Amino acid sequence: MGITENELERKMPIGVFDSGIGGMTVVREIMRQLPNERIIYFGDTARVPYGSKSKETVTRYSKQIVRFLRSQHVKAIVVACNTASACALEELERDTDIPFVDVVRPGAKVAAQTTQNGRVGVIATRATIGSDIYTTYIRRINPDIQVIGKACPLFVPLVEEGLWQDPVTDEIATRYLSELIDIDIDTLILGCTHYPLIRATVGRIMGEHVTLVNPAYETARKLKKVLEARSLSNPEPAALGTSQHQFFVSDGADQFIHFANSIIKYGILSAKVIQIEDY
């Protein structure tokens, strides 16, 4: 008997993309929770950050990346970027026939289920906060929840400089988070894929009574459910000696490799630079 079409689909990779390097926190969770799956990751390192760009620009960039990932024959795409999820997801889903998993909806759902006092904070980029996307999703679940957003634009460059535990990061985080402390939130969404890397700092400043929601973890859980529901889960681990995952960027491959290895401890040996504007 030959290989069936579904068996071929199951072996196809998962596409994951982000505006830069932060999406590797999502990749880390997918590797942990779905170890049999192959991953093709694209980081738009030449055009990062997305958080300060318009909805139209982010949507155009996202469509280019999806066209590239489709050229790699992926079976599903994870939008591992809160800004792209907020600005482009509806158009991406409308234009493509494969499943998409974003980082906003899984985190919003968990936050709505977790809060006890009905006050949820969201820290993210300006574009994500400005879109009110977390507020929209959380209030669909429970319209009585108060959602307070706070843009934290300096967190991304601090994380990418490797200043995860540094007095400068402590100072900036204290300034950003003080108003959320004053409002007495009990749940805080880390609404940017970079932010789990400074989770310890944020948690220490917010205090033990505030539950931190990591959308990267929840996204991997959602992806697992989507693949299982569509009979797309890969039942077999990668063969020994094969390259299970591939990494692509739009600029700065060496910097990406160094930073990515600090996140996932996987041993990424190569990342290929592609001209994403060609897609």
Side-chain angles (χ1 to χ4, degrees):
M1 291 180 61
I3 298 175
T4 67
E5 186 175 339
N6 181 250
E7 286 174 321
L8 284 172
E9 271 194 304
R10 284 171 174 263
K11 294 179 184 297
M12 290 163 66
I14 306 293
V16 182
F17 80 88
D18 183 39
S19 58
I21 301 172
M24 292 302 295
T25 59
V26 179
V27 169
R28 177 174 62 184
E29 292 297 339
I30 295 173
M31 287 178 172
R32 285 175 179 168
Q33 297 183 41
L34 294 88
N36 289 354
E37 299 297 341
R38 293 167 52 217
I39 296 169
I40 292 182
Y41 180 86
F42 177 78
D44 200 359
T45 45
R47 304 186 295 196
V48 70
Y50 281 11
S52 56
K53 294 178 172 65
S54 69
K55 174 182 173 70
E56 291 73 22
T57 296
V58 172
T59 300
R60 177 167 60 85
Y61 289 175
S62 299
K63 286 182 174 181
Q64 289 173 342
I65 296 165
V66 167
R67 284 193 285 269
F68 164 69
L69 292 174
R70 292 303 302 269
S71 77
Q72 303 298 306
H73 308 292
V74 297
K75 62 185 176 184
I77 293 177
V78 177
V79 185
C81 173
N82 283 264
T83 303
S85 296
C87 295
L89 184 65
E90 287 188 9
E91 284 200 43
L92 296 179
E93 289 183 319
R94 190 166 59 239
D95 293 347
T96 314
D97 56 351
I98 64 173
F100 277 83
V101 176
D102 67 289
V103 285
V104 174
R105 286 176 292 194
K109 181 179 180 181
V110 169
Q113 295 169 340
T114 299
T115 183
Q116 297 295 308
N117 70 3
R119 286 191 286 274
V120 173
V122 181
I123 53 175
T125 65
R126 287 194 179 99
T128 300
I129 297 300
S131 73
D132 279 333
I133 192 74
Y134 275 102
T135 302
T136 300
Y137 286 138
I138 289 171
R139 288 189 174 161
R140 282 180 189 171
I141 300 167
N142 184 344
D144 294 328
I145 293 176
Q146 181 184 6
V147 183
I148 304 97
K150 176 64 179 176
C152 302
L154 291 177
F155 278 171
V156 168
L158 287 169
V159 166
E160 294 205 350
E161 286 296 322
L163 301 175
W164 303 357
Q165 294 179 324
D166 188 274
V168 173
T169 305
D170 283 2
E171 171 67 22
I172 296 298
T174 301
R175 292 190 186 194
Y176 280 154
L177 300 172
S178 59
E179 64 188 72
L180 297 177
I181 295 171
D182 292 342
I183 295 167
D184 193 31
I185 63 168
D186 72 350
T187 305
L188 178 63
I189 299 172
L190 305 177
C192 173
T193 50
H194 285 72
Y195 296 1
L197 298 171
I198 53 171
R199 179 185 182 127
T201 298
V202 173
R204 186 178 69 253
I205 292 168
M206 295 305 300
E208 292 182 359
H209 69 288
V210 176
T211 300
L212 302 186
V213 175
N214 177 3
Y217 174 80
E218 306 303 336
T219 298
R221 288 184 63 199
K222 176 66 175 179
L223 174 64
K224 185 176 182 179
K225 290 178 182 177
V226 168
L227 295 179
E228 289 172 349
R230 295 187 179 225
S231 300
L232 289 174
S233 300
N234 188 355
E236 300 175 359
L240 288 175
T242 60
S243 179
Q244 186 174 0
H245 310 299
Q246 292 177 276
F247 302 90
F248 298 87
V249 293
S250 49
D251 193 24
D254 290 342
Q255 182 183 2
F256 169 82
I257 292 167
H258 175 75
F259 190 87
N261 280 323
S262 72
I263 296 175
I264 63 173
K265 310 292 190 287
Y266 171 72
I268 297 171
L269 301 178
S270 66
K272 185 177 180 181
V273 176
I274 63 165
Q275 298 300 317
I276 194 63
E277 295 278 6
D278 293 343
Y279 289 87

